[in-house]
Each structure stands twice: as C-alpha cells, then as structure tokens.
Amino acid sequence: MRRADVFFFPSALEGHPQVLVQAAASGLPAVAMEKYRPDYVVNGETGYLAKSDDELSEKLSLLLDTPALRLRMSAAAARHALQFDWDKSGARLGELVCGGSR
C-alpha cells in the first residue's frame, strides 16, 4: 500500500472488508462496490462507492487522472480512518459494556 496512489477493491462478495480501513489509514482513496456499504469509504469524500462495474472503472480513471482530487481524498481518508483507531474503539466498547461507569 505504501507505493499505491489509489486502492481499487472491485469485490462484490465481501461483508465488511477490513482492508478498506487499512487502505484509508494508509492515506489511500478507495474505489469499492457500494453493495455492502462499507463504513470505511465515504462516497465522494474519501473515495468512491460504485453501483456497477462501469462505474468502478469510471471512478478509478477519475482518481488516476486527477492528482488534486486524489490528494484531497487521500487526506480525507487518513482523517476518516482515525475514528476506527483500536484504542478509541476499545474505550467506546468499554463505555457501552460498562454503562459509562469507569
């Protein structure tokens, strides 16, 4: 991922692909299928969620051909991934399980 400019994930069979949050944390805008509604991609902000194979191709081309858009989405993806930080998620889970009494 360190050498990539975009993360292209055309699979339509995934449930909640963790690799998308890894890509976002690496600062990669993603192009993925909208079908499984991944939390890790905010359509039009951190990448694109496509409804068809044609749209996958279109959005990938757009990101590859537009460096300024790619850089903007890269920064947004890295910021978005921070909310999925394990320490924050663990603390939030502890609040939910313990009813906020810590």
Side-chain angles (χ1 to χ4, degrees):
M1 287 188 187
R2 291 179 195 197
R3 293 178 156 174
D5 292 322
V6 173
F7 190 75
F8 184 63
F9 192 73
S11 175
L13 301 175
E14 305 296 326
H16 195 69
Q18 299 297 306
V19 70
L20 290 172
V21 75
Q22 294 165 352
S26 297
L28 295 176
V31 178
M33 292 301 288
E34 186 261 351
K35 182 181 284 187
Y36 44 82
R37 304 183 195 282
D39 295 333
Y40 309 126
V41 180
V42 179
N43 192 38
E45 185 178 323
T46 67
Y48 291 108
L49 296 173
K51 295 178 180 163
S52 67
D53 289 344
D54 288 341
E55 191 176 359
L56 275 173
S57 178
E58 172 191 320
K59 297 304 185 183
L60 178 60
S61 292
L62 177 63
L63 279 172
L64 292 176
D65 294 341
T66 316
L69 174 65
R70 194 170 58 242
L71 289 173
R72 182 177 56 80
M73 286 189 167
S74 174
R79 282 191 307 273
H80 182 65
L82 292 174
Q83 72 178 310
F84 302 104
D85 177 82
W86 181 249
D87 291 334
K88 290 179 184 178
S89 297
R92 179 69 181 131
L93 180 60
E95 290 172 10
L96 293 172
V97 170
C98 297
S101 60
R102 290 187 124 215

